[in-house]
Amino acid sequence: MQRQIYLENKSWQEGLQLMMEKLAPTCIPVNERIDVRKTLNRITGELVRAERSSPHYPASAMDGYAVRSKDTFGVSEREPRWLGWNEKAVQVDTGDPLPEGMDAVIMLEEVLQQGEKGILIQSPVVPWDNVRSVGEDIVEGEVLLPVNHRIRPQDQGALIAAGVLGVNVRRKPRVGILPTGDEIRTPDTPLEIGDIVDSNSTVIASLVEEWGGAGKVWPIATDRPEELEKALLAMANSQDIIVFIAGSSQGRDDYTSRIIEKYGTLYLHGAAIKPGKPVILGEVKGKPAIGIPGYPVSAFITAQLFLEPWVKYLLGLIKVTPQTLEVSMTKKVFSTLGSEEFVRVKVGKVGERWIATPLSRGAGVTMSLVRADGILRVPRLQEGFHEGETVPVELLRPVEELGETLVCIGSHDLAIDLLSSHLKARGGNEAIASAHVGSLGGILALRKGEAHFAGIHLLDPETGEYNRSYIERLLPERDIALMNLVYRTQGLMVAKGNPLNLTRLEDLTLPGIRFINRQGGSGTRVLLDYLLNQKEISKNDILGYEREEFTHLNVAVAVASGAADVGLGIQSAAQSLGLDFIPIGEERYDLAIPCEFLEDLKMQALIAVVHSDAFKEDVIKLGGYDVRDMGKFIG
Amino acid sequence: MQRQIYLENKSWQEGLQLMMEKLAPTCIPVNERIDVRKTLNRITGELVRAERSSPHYPASAMDGYAVRSKDTFGVSEREPRWLGWNEKAVQVDTGDPLPEGMDAVIMLEEVLQQGEKGILIQSPVVPWDNVRSVGEDIVEGEVLLPVNHRIRPQDQGALIAAGVLGVNVRRKPRVGILPTGDEIRTPDTPLEIGDIVDSNSTVIASLVEEWGGAGKVWPIATDRPEELEKALLAMANSQDIIVFIAGSSQGRDDYTSRIIEKYGTLYLHGAAIKPGKPVILGEVKGKPAIGIPGYPVSAFITAQLFLEPWVKYLLGLIKVTPQTLEVSMTKKVFSTLGSEEFVRVKVGKVGERWIATPLSRGAGVTMSLVRADGILRVPRLQEGFHEGETVPVELLRPVEELGETLVCIGSHDLAIDLLSSHLKARGGNEAIASAHVGSLGGILALRKGEAHFAGIHLLDPETGEYNRSYIERLLPERDIALMNLVYRTQGLMVAKGNPLNLTRLEDLTLPGIRFINRQGGSGTRVLLDYLLNQKEISKNDILGYEREEFTHLNVAVAVASGAADVGLGIQSAAQSLGLDFIPIGEERYDLAIPCEFLEDLKMQALIAVVHSDAFKEDVIKLGGYDVRDMGKFIG
């Protein structure tokens, strides 16, 4: 039961710098010569000079007639002159070479007459008029491209024009990627309980490709140290950089670091970053070796911190500073003192403000990387950021696309996910960033100017009406439109076949029935409390009333996995997990939209989607929805 | 002698829209299913749902001990309890599945004691404490990616975690690219007079690749109409989009448009854009067919205007608006009324202002695309932009890189090109954008705040001194440092072997000797006039005194190509063209740097390069330079 404790906790920058200093003298960029037609996005390994001038002969710059300029001297309007074919005038098109001895071109439209005897001109030309001289574009020997330059299509054009056929570019740095662990499985293996699929190798290989290197995924090594040792040595022989994905569990980082010390040097073992603590930096037989943690988010972030600089270095490049954007935080962000933390955020522009909302922070939450628009770094000696504070975010998507994002904060509904897909399917850049904080949270976000619209379904227990009274009470100064999206059936979600035979709300109090609730402030919770009150059921009699989940789907999952027996939610969520569903009522789900955003083009695109038949049909397919008022504005 | 006249000159937008409307119903995006590991940068062809939840079993979220929560109820500091191994407590690592019947994990550090009889605990846990429940990250059936989404590394990670093995992505649109013309040669063919190398096919194929399609270059078709017809039909059979590179010379656009009308429809023949007029839009056997002009810059711009929308359309995407930047123009830009013009510009940030300088505007000038940082559109009904006017520029390079650009305006010297290469070779983003407008032009640019430094070599004819007196006279209010770069030998450049036997400046007046001059305001011109004056030589006696070139290299080219017999310039230019050189004097070439820029990090990088031995050695290799004061600041 001995566990690995991090002996050193030096800063990751120190460890990386030490590693770079020690290995840089022997690990250097390598060049290879390739056909100019294959050089797109490759990096020049030396400066490239023109091997030929362009144009490589004096060429006509116009459609017209080549002449000797001295044959035109003395010509004027009063003294026009005929120049005879072949001897004194030759018809040329743009790009044609000048005939021997001729040194100027007269434009088509400047000729008074042309006929059998030649052309009649009425003004003189000077030498090289309308002629592109040799080297006007490119001069032989001229520097075309500097070293360490990423070759673009237009660069290839210039190289070809200048007679350059082969270009010395950086050979792509070879990165060996080794997944390790007895529980790790390749993506195409059916999984048993306890198995973990290896998604990290593919992600890292793709990152390497984007940075300009060539990643090669090794077969999974089990936890036998001799197997790991063999793989590391094989990678050291054929690759430029060694990456192994391990993590600290099973004492794995312990024996990998011992192997590294056997064949080279260990520079860093554990770093004060979050997520990503159990990182290893070392050298195996002269090659940089990087140990990446196994959690997907940790793997992504540590690859960017430690692997990207090595790939860029071997390409002759310094890591390019990512584009940052100053955003204001919608929520407080806490961070642990002593660790540098990397928080994934969604970014959108509401009115004139860029705003960011932090996403889930668990290191294992793969989808947070898919949903993230950027990464916010919280420095090691800072406890976090305040709500409303302006902070720099490193972007994961182009800033142009972020400007097209509609920020939706409020209650979760599957129809919002569908709306997002349909909006994207139109082919534009419009997108929806949605944060699920419940209906009341959505209204508060509108009040703070942090959302373009909110999805809400709030029952007023006094009137039995939906939404409007909350808007009037909480946003009295604002002009808010309510557009109906759907009516949805709420009900009890129970296991397939309803084994406990639950039929009505009262059954929640039956002995041993384990309930799973939604968080306070959510519309579903308000509905539940309203119904319990009506039926005079005490919440104290419900086992699990205090267990809360944040979305319909998560409640459904809790029931499907046996963690609970019953939850309250919408039919579509039950349907997508194969659960049985006992309807107990219908509720109105509206989009609350501040009127100042109704004129916005991306909002109009959204409204157009809501009014489309294709969207309506797909919502009906989800089950449990009534679309009778879909898209209707409600007073 | 009949020439093609553009019968219609409808706007390019109208032509493209018409073509899209007619062909869109039959030319639609096509999907193909590929392994998730190969999907980097591909576009989703339908929305992708999770095929498995993640985690797919309840997993420990910590290193610790799995327990039944009900076994811990009633435990407190005063009443600690032993939980026996296997039956009541099982050691688990992060990610391990929970043993059957267990529902919570106690963290390692919360256990009071552990030994042979089990673990001693002093507080209770609730169900699902420290447990990652099924679907906490991803729920089966959840939408992972919308349709028309470019797949990133982190997206692949989520797909694999969610059990998605095959993804329906857009098949890459196939673009056939046909170079045409009797005078066109493949890049690897040695060129004869009149031959033109085909660089356009490679540039277009690379652009297509960057947009997400697959370009295929066809063998060159000669000007026999039946050959062109055969190639167009073959492309229509196997490709999604047909591109032919032709241009209007030899009446080529005339017979291609006739072929198009034979097998389909012609939508546009000639467009009011500059460069790029002779564009053709049509349809051959149901496939979009785009005729691209032959001039490299026209080809690049028309490919972006007409081909990119088609490639993006077949990927299900709308063309992404390019990133624009508001810049202020350093120079007036004239444009022809009636044509939309696309002007290539260099962009840099001097102080707080983004400034743009137009580059050479000839459509054939390949290097202008390499050097350009962006494209400025001058609308059809506008005559241009004023100096100092703020205009939007569409960027060809990332804006982060542009901020690292040092703007150098002034006299041309090969050592500046080398400086630029050495700066780039350091691996950072620092770069030099240099515009050649002569020494006086450089000083004026400093005065207007449009340059970070100027290369100047201005002789004061009264004192025989260099540079300082001009600075004092023209920039009296400014604090300007003068850093010497080189002393350089000026002399007469003559053909190899000096066939006309020229030995001194006086020989320029010999009968029949054709001189080529530099432009007024250039240091070389000032030196020439100073020497002519000293030696009492009349400029009227020099044949060609009024013929001007803008750089040393262009003067050398004029001599090398026989367009002139002699020019005045620097030795390195003569050397790189293999010319003979007759020294007539030495001049001082300094960099004039406003003192406020000396603290700038990129300027410091530049100064470090000037002081490096590697740079000094490379300058010496150029020949004709003395580096005795290189990097020295001169009072």
Side-chain angles (χ1 to χ4, degrees), chain B residues 102-332:
Chain B
M102 294 185 166
D103 64 355
V105 170
I106 300 179
M107 282 163 70
L108 211 57
E109 47 268 49
E110 284 176 357
V111 165
L112 209 57
Q113 253 187 283
Q114 60 112 338
E116 263 179 37
K117 51 194 285 210
I119 55 171
L120 181 64
I121 59 166
Q122 58 176 352
S123 53
V125 288
V126 299
W128 310 107
D129 250 15
N130 298 318
V131 171
R132 297 183 62 216
S133 54
V134 173
E136 184 182 295
D137 186 357
I138 298 167
V139 177
E140 187 184 328
E142 180 180 348
V143 173
L144 296 175
L145 299 178
V147 68
N148 297 335
H149 172 85
R150 188 179 294 275
I151 297 175
R152 300 164 300 170
Q154 58 265 49
D155 299 327
Q156 292 178 289
L159 294 171
I160 292 171
V164 178
L165 275 178
V167 185
N168 281 328
V169 297
R170 302 290 185 209
R171 201 195 67 203
K172 292 186 177 188
R174 297 171 185 152
V175 180
I177 301 161
L178 179 70
T180 72
D182 288 341
E183 76 286 18
I184 302 299
R185 299 287 174 271
T186 57
D188 43 9
T189 313
L191 300 189
E192 309 283 329
I193 299 292
D195 288 352
I196 292 178
V197 67
D198 171 35
S199 61
N200 289 326
S201 298
T202 301
V203 172
I204 292 172
S206 288
L207 284 171
V208 167
E209 189 180 328
E210 294 224 298
W211 297 329
K216 186 181 159 79
V217 178
W218 243 249
I220 297 164
T222 68
D223 282 327
R224 289 169 52 230
E226 54 280 19
E227 196 173 317
L228 183 70
E229 184 169 343
K230 212 175 128 191
L232 288 179
L233 291 176
M235 291 202 288
N237 277 333
S238 63
Q239 306 293 305
D240 298 314
I241 305 170
I242 299 166
V243 170
F244 51 98
I245 309 160
S248 58
S249 61
Q250 329 284 357
R252 214 169 270 162
D253 59 340
D254 213 21
Y255 65 74
T256 46
S257 54
R258 255 182 269 125
I259 296 172
I260 287 173
E261 280 173 326
K262 182 168 164 192
Y263 292 101
T265 314
L266 192 64
Y267 298 114
L268 186 78
H269 185 184
I273 50 175
K274 208 176 144 185
K277 208 171 169 64
V279 66
I280 292 175
L281 298 184
E283 175 227 315
V284 175
K285 299 216 153 199
K287 299 293 172 67
I290 302 168
I292 298 268
Y295 269 150
V297 180
S298 313
F300 188 84
I301 291 193
T302 52
Q304 287 186 319
L305 288 182
F306 302 105
L307 179 55
E308 186 176 358
W310 270 108
V311 173
K312 292 281 165 76
Y313 166 74
L314 287 181
L315 285 167
L317 306 173
I318 287 173
K319 184 179 163 174
V320 175
T321 322
Q323 191 177 4
T324 61
L325 190 70
E326 296 287 318
V327 302
S328 114
M329 293 302 296
T330 59
K331 258 169 120 170
K332 197 165 184 159

Side-chain angles (χ1 to χ4, degrees), chain A residues 398-534:
Chain A
V399 69
E400 301 84 59
E401 281 182 38
L402 299 179
E404 294 296 302
T405 296
L406 285 160
V407 180
C408 163
I409 298 184
S411 168
H412 180 249
D413 189 275
L414 290 175
I416 295 280
D417 297 345
L418 259 187
L419 194 52
S420 178
S421 296
H422 275 256
L423 192 63
K424 192 95 186 182
R426 299 170 76 243
N429 284 323
E430 296 92 355
I432 295 177
S434 74
H436 311 146
V437 297
S439 293
L440 276 177
I443 292 181
L444 295 180
L446 291 183
R447 185 157 78 182
K448 290 188 281 179
E450 290 167 355
H452 292 107
F453 67 100
I456 60 174
H457 54 114
L458 284 166
L459 175 66
D460 186 337
E462 312 208 337
T463 63
E465 284 289 308
Y466 270 88
N467 298 335
R468 180 52 76 189
S469 66
Y470 285 83
I471 295 284
E472 280 168 1
R473 187 146 36 88
L474 295 168
L475 298 169
E477 317 274 288
R478 297 285 290 282
D479 219 0
I480 306 282
L482 279 178
M483 179 173 73
N484 178 253
L485 191 63
V486 289
Y487 293 87
R488 57 190 199 180
T489 310
Q490 287 264 14
L492 300 178
M493 302 193 269
V494 297
K496 183 94 200 149
N498 194 6
L500 299 170
N501 204 21
L502 307 179
T503 59
R504 46 184 205 140
L505 205 61
E506 287 80 348
D507 293 347
L508 297 185
T509 60
L510 293 178
I513 297 295
R514 294 168 306 146
F515 181 67
I516 178 101
N517 208 344
R518 285 291 306 280
Q519 84 280 14
S522 67
T524 302
R525 176 70 164 264
V526 173
L527 177 65
L528 176 70
D529 292 345
Y530 174 74
L531 293 174
L532 293 179
N533 195 39
Q534 264 197 336

Side-chain angles (χ1 to χ4, degrees), chain B residues 342-508:
Chain B
F342 299 78
V343 181
R344 278 83 67 207
V345 297
K346 289 270 348 153
V347 176
K349 192 178 191 182
V350 181
E352 286 309 301
R353 283 166 71 204
W354 285 104
I355 61 153
T357 310
L359 288 164
S360 169
R361 291 159 84 185
V365 181
T366 321
M367 283 304 284
S368 75
L369 279 180
V370 172
R371 295 195 189 106
D373 296 323
I375 301 233
L376 169 66
R377 291 186 188 219
V378 188
R380 195 170 167 178
L381 296 176
Q382 192 165 328
E383 283 187 85
F385 295 109
H386 298 295
E387 183 185 322
E389 192 165 347
T390 300
V391 295
V393 162
E394 295 172 7
L395 297 184
L396 295 173
R397 289 175 57 204
V399 68
E400 301 84 62
E401 281 182 38
L402 299 179
E404 294 294 302
T405 296
L406 285 159
V407 180
C408 164
I409 299 185
S411 168
H412 179 249
D413 189 273
L414 290 175
I416 297 279
D417 297 345
L418 259 188
L419 194 53
S420 178
S421 295
H422 275 256
L423 192 63
K424 193 96 186 185
R426 298 170 77 242
N429 284 324
E430 297 92 355
I432 295 176
S434 74
H436 309 147
V437 296
S439 294
L440 275 176
I443 292 180
L444 295 181
L446 290 183
R447 186 156 79 182
K448 289 189 281 179
E450 290 168 354
H452 291 107
F453 68 98
I456 60 174
H457 55 111
L458 285 165
L459 175 65
D460 185 337
E462 311 210 338
T463 64
E465 284 289 307
Y466 270 88
N467 300 335
R468 182 51 75 187
S469 66
Y470 285 83
I471 295 283
E472 281 167 1
R473 186 145 36 89
L474 295 169
L475 298 169
E477 316 273 287
R478 296 285 292 281
D479 219 0
I480 306 282
L482 279 177
M483 179 173 74
N484 178 253
L485 191 65
V486 289
Y487 293 87
R488 56 190 199 180
T489 309
Q490 289 265 15
L492 300 178
M493 301 193 272
V494 296
K496 183 94 197 151
N498 193 4
L500 298 170
N501 205 21
L502 307 179
T503 58
R504 45 184 206 144
L505 205 63
E506 286 82 348
D507 292 350
L508 298 184

